[in-house]
Amino acid sequence: MKTIGLALSGGGARGIGHLGVLKALDEMGVKVNGLSGTSSGAIVGAFYSAGYSPDEILKIAKETTLFGYKNFLIGKAGLFDMKTFKEAFDKYIQYHNIEQLPIPLTVVATDIVKGEIRYFTDGDLSMALMASSCVPLVFQPIQYESTIYLDGGILNNFPVEPLTGKYDVVIGVNVNAISKDIQKIQMKDMLDRSFHLALNKEISEKHQYCHILIEPPEMSRFGMFDMERIQEVYDFAYQHTMGQREEIEKVLG
C-alpha cells in the first residue's frame, strides 16, 4: 500500500477548507501517513493527527476562535494576544509534544530574527502551533527558544518540502486560489490579498512536487478572518475534492 503525505497551506478561516478536503479523503478511504502544515493548515493537521474527525474539528472551530480573532484580548502595541490559542490547544489536544501525535506532523513557522524557516517536528505542540499561526500585524510575535516567531506563511505557505521523498504520494492542498472576478475589495482584505498574490508564483512552482493537487478555485473570495462563512468554505472544498475522486483514486491505485 502506498504511503501518503498531506501538505496543508495556511489561509486563516479558509483553512476550514482543509477539513472539507479531509472529509472527502476519509470517505474515499485514503489513509494519511504524515502531515505538514502552515498556520491554519498546521492547526487542522494537529487536530486531525490527534484523532478528531473533520466534522468534530469543524464543530470546535465554530465554538472557539481558533480561526478568527473577534474574541481575542488586545495585548501590547494594539496586537491580539494568542493566549486563547494555547488554552484551546491544551483543552482539546491531549498530546503535549509534537512527536507524541499518532500521525507525524511538521509545523512550519518563520524565525523572524534569523530570517529563516523553522520546521518543528518535536517539542511543545502549543508553542509551535502559535508560532506557525502568528499573523504579522495582527498577533503579538511568539517568543520561544531565545528567538521570535511569526506566521510560517511568510516564508513557506505551502509546505510540501518536509514530505518530498518520505512518502510514495504527496497530496498538496492549497486553500488560497486567487479570485479575479471581484467587483470590490474591502480595506481589511487588502493585506490578505497582497500577501497571497506575492506568494502565488512560489506556490505554483511547488505544484510539480505534488502527485495530487487539491486547490479549490477562487478561495480568496472568502476572507482570512471570515468566520461567518466557514460552513460554506467547508462544503465548497468537500465538493471540489469529491469532484477529483476519479483522479485521486487513479493515482493512489
Side-chain angles (χ1 to χ4, degrees), residues 14-227:
R14 289 191 295 269
I16 294 295
H18 292 312
L19 299 177
V21 173
L22 283 167
K23 181 178 176 64
L25 293 178
D26 282 352
E27 291 181 3
M28 295 178 204
V30 176
K31 177 177 172 55
V32 175
N33 304 105
L35 294 153
S36 65
T38 295
S39 197
S40 59
I43 296 173
V44 167
F47 275 82
Y48 188 73
S49 178
Y52 287 96
S53 71
D55 283 333
E56 289 171 335
I57 305 170
L58 179 64
K59 185 173 185 291
I60 292 170
K62 289 179 177 180
E63 294 173 350
T64 66
T65 51
L66 284 177
F67 297 89
Y69 67 95
K70 289 184 177 178
N71 296 322
F72 284 107
L73 298 175
I74 295 292
K76 298 176 183 178
L79 302 179
F80 292 104
D81 189 336
M82 296 196 75
K83 184 173 69 173
T84 309
F85 270 83
K86 180 171 176 54
E87 292 173 353
F89 297 145
D90 292 343
K91 175 181 178 181
Y92 290 103
I93 300 179
Q94 62 177 309
Y95 305 98
H96 179 72
N97 292 325
I98 302 171
E99 66 270 22
Q100 296 173 332
L101 290 166
I103 303 175
L105 172 68
T106 299
V107 177
V108 183
T110 298
D111 184 328
I112 205 68
V113 176
K114 297 178 182 178
E116 61 187 33
I117 301 170
R118 170 70 186 272
Y119 294 111
F120 289 96
T121 56
D122 56 23
D124 192 313
L125 176 60
S126 293
M127 291 301 296
L129 292 177
M130 287 192 296
S132 182
S133 310
C134 191
V135 179
L137 305 179
V138 177
F139 296 109
Q140 293 180 38
I142 296 299
Q143 296 190 26
Y144 179 53
E145 294 182 339
S146 303
T147 191
I148 300 174
Y149 292 100
L150 286 174
D151 195 293
I154 296 172
L155 292 180
N156 191 347
N157 205 42
F158 191 45
V160 298
E161 296 88 345
L163 308 176
T164 303
K166 291 185 178 180
Y167 299 94
D168 298 323
V169 176
V170 173
I171 301 176
V173 186
N174 178 32
V175 294
N176 300 297
I178 300 294
S179 174
K180 297 181 180 178
D181 185 24
I182 55 176
Q183 306 301 318
K184 184 174 67 173
I185 303 176
Q186 297 184 10
M187 185 59 68
K188 66 181 179 66
D189 297 323
M190 286 288 187
L191 178 62
D192 176 22
R193 190 171 177 83
S194 298
F195 178 67
H196 288 101
L197 282 170
L199 293 173
N200 231 14
K201 184 175 184 295
E202 178 194 355
I203 290 175
S204 296
E205 290 173 351
K206 293 185 181 185
H207 289 179
Q208 63 182 307
Y209 302 110
C210 301
H211 300 90
I212 298 170
L213 175 67
I214 300 174
E215 192 174 52
E218 300 190 343
M219 286 289 283
S220 65
R221 72 183 189 274
F222 302 112
M224 191 171 182
F225 298 105
D226 195 358
M227 291 299 292

